[in-house]
Amino acid sequence: MTDQPAIHVSSLVKDYGEVRAVDGIGFSVAPGAVVGLLGGNGAGKTTTISMLLGLLLPTSGKVEVLGHDMTSGDRFAVLPRMNFASPYVNLPYRLTVFQNLKVYGLLYGIRDIGGRIRGLARDLDLEPFLDTPARKLSSGQKTRVTLAKALLNQPEVLLLDEPTASLDPDTGDFVRTYLQDYAQDSGCAILLASHNMQEVERLCSRIMIMKQGRIHAEGTPAELGRRFGRASLEEVFLDIARAPREVAS
Ligand code: ATP
């Protein structure tokens, strides 16, 4: 592993017209680390992830992934080395699970796509419905396919938006263990946006809690608990969420 952070963000700002969605945030994620990004609805998490993917241009500030500037053409060099999963992004409905994964595998230029798909299908228990059209999957099955899609290219940086939403407790637990092992074994850096406090507490070595576009609190789950005098991360989250909103001066 190198000393270079896998993700490095500084003074990052994003305005949508009059709305400042991200307000000067900065953070780094080391290779192999799993970092949680928490925050209430509208806190700026999705906007931050979209800028990390190079899908949105920042208003100002710096976004680097694996040493590449995501605001320039340089991002095309790093996109094959990263991936993203969100259960809220739909898969092409008519294609079967296998066909879906194959299309994405081709886009990533993966060699032996069939072998890679079969390996992930085994790991994520997708084998029974590889030939099922995506439209016939339950939301939990779809979530697992989305995760397989995100792991196809063995990413070095993985951005996850609620990866276990809609999974039953048993499958959710399985997926969390899988992600934990994947980060440890591969050195992949994971940024995990989630509303599931237990998941974040279990997976993340560090947590950032966003509010109104800023990082309001940051640290290990234990540090945050101590700082806020709270026994659980959920209570810390509620303290921050329920504190009066700041009015822009
Ligand atoms: P959630 O947990 O609800 O998904 P979030 O933390 O991901 O929320 P964002 O989606 O990043 O939050 O939104 C941050 C702010 O930017 C909100 O005030 C939102 O209304 C605003 N916003 C997001 N997308 C747009 C857009 N395309 N145009 C205008 N405003 C937007």
Side-chain angles (χ1 to χ4, degrees):
M1 287 189 199
T2 65
D3 289 340
Q4 184 191 56
I7 298 173
H8 181 67
V9 164
S10 62
S11 308
L12 188 63
V13 172
K14 179 66 189 179
D15 292 335
Y16 295 108
E18 300 285 293
V19 176
R20 178 148 290 190
V22 171
D23 192 5
I25 63 171
F27 63 90
S28 295
V29 181
V34 184
V35 173
L37 189 59
L38 301 184
N41 295 136
K45 304 178 297 292
T46 305
T47 304
T48 302
I49 289 178
S50 302
M51 289 190 279
L52 283 168
L53 283 164
L55 293 174
L56 268 183
L57 277 181
T59 302
S60 60
K62 197 160 136 185
V63 191
E64 282 177 356
V65 176
L66 299 169
H68 294 267
D69 178 359
M70 297 307 285
T71 64
S72 74
D74 200 21
R75 70 178 179 277
F76 295 108
V78 75
L79 287 171
R81 298 168 62 194
M82 62 192 295
N83 215 320
F84 165 72
S86 166
Y88 306 111
V89 176
N90 278 329
L91 298 162
Y93 260 41
R94 289 192 200 168
L95 299 185
T96 65
V97 170
F98 187 88
Q99 289 166 337
N100 257 290
L101 294 175
K102 189 168 173 189
V103 167
Y104 286 107
L106 287 169
L107 288 174
Y108 276 103
I110 291 159
R111 273 177 276 148
D112 185 22
I113 300 173
R116 180 79 187 130
I117 294 174
R118 278 188 292 278
L120 283 167
R122 207 171 36 241
D123 286 354
L124 293 170
D125 199 14
L126 303 175
E127 283 166 322
F129 42 89
L130 272 180
D131 294 323
T132 304
R135 76 186 138 84
K136 291 193 178 168
L137 300 177
S138 74
S139 16
Q141 290 164 345
K142 228 177 289 168
T143 302
R144 268 144 60 205
V145 175
T146 306
L147 203 59
K149 174 188 99 48
L151 292 164
L152 271 172
N153 61 329
Q154 296 174 287
E156 293 162 69
V157 170
L158 190 52
L159 307 172
L160 297 173
D161 195 1
E162 298 195 50
T164 60
S166 76
L167 295 181
D168 66 58
D170 181 33
T171 315
D173 180 66
F174 171 81
V175 166
R176 280 175 209 118
T177 305
Y178 188 84
L179 288 171
Q180 208 163 27
D181 292 347
Y182 180 72
Q184 249 165 35
D185 298 345
S186 69
C188 177
I190 298 182
L191 185 68
L192 169 74
S194 176
H195 290 298
N196 181 329
M197 301 296 142
Q198 280 149 357
E199 165 169 292
V200 168
E201 251 169 337
R202 171 167 156 198
L203 287 182
C204 300
S205 52
R206 193 159 53 87
I207 291 162
M208 304 181 286
I209 303 183
M210 286 187 81
K211 182 174 179 177
Q212 292 181 272
R214 299 194 193 145
I215 296 174
H216 261 250
E218 174 172 11
T220 64
E223 279 166 1
L224 288 172
R226 273 197 300 277
R227 201 173 312 151
F228 285 80
R230 292 298 195 174
S232 74
L233 189 61
E234 181 149 355
E235 289 172 324
V236 173
F237 181 91
L238 291 175
D239 279 354
I240 292 175
R242 289 176 182 167
R245 293 177 75 81
E246 286 174 24
V247 180
S249 52

